């Protein structure tokens, strides 16, 4: 039988919790915590946000970050 390469299991994702402050946007949060503002889509998905352009102060978000 052919030799199969070992399967790589993905690194577990780490998350941080962040409480939204007045004036925050997903863009700014993604830029600050992920280093990439385009990660705003992933943050919206992870938090099941129906209207990601409307964040409410006091909402706690989980933000995926790279494991170091």
């Amino acid at each position: 039988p052919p030799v199969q390469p070992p399967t790589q299991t993905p690194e577990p994702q780490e998350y941080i919790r962040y409480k939204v402050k007045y004036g925050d946007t997903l863009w700014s949060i993604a830029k600050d915590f992920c280093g990439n503002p385009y990660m705003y889509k992933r943050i919206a998905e992870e938090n099941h946000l129906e209207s990601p352009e409307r964040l409410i102060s006091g909402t706690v978000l989980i933000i995926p970050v790279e494991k170091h």
Side-chain angles (χ1 to χ4, degrees), residues 2-58:
V3 176
Q4 295 286 334
T7 57
Q8 300 240 348
T9 56
E11 287 285 320
Q13 181 71 56
E14 285 190 359
Y15 294 90
I16 57 172
R17 297 172 86 71
Y18 176 74
K19 189 182 232 183
V20 175
K21 298 180 187 112
Y22 180 79
D24 280 341
T25 64
L26 282 183
W27 181 272
S28 66
I29 292 169
K31 183 179 170 204
D32 292 345
F33 290 98
C34 304
N36 179 353
Y38 291 98
M39 285 289 290
Y40 79 91
K41 293 178 185 178
R42 173 86 187 278
I43 296 170
E45 290 171 6
E46 292 284 345
N47 290 279
H48 309 288
L49 299 177
E50 292 180 21
S51 298
E53 65 279 351
R54 296 181 64 200
L55 293 178
I56 299 170
S57 296

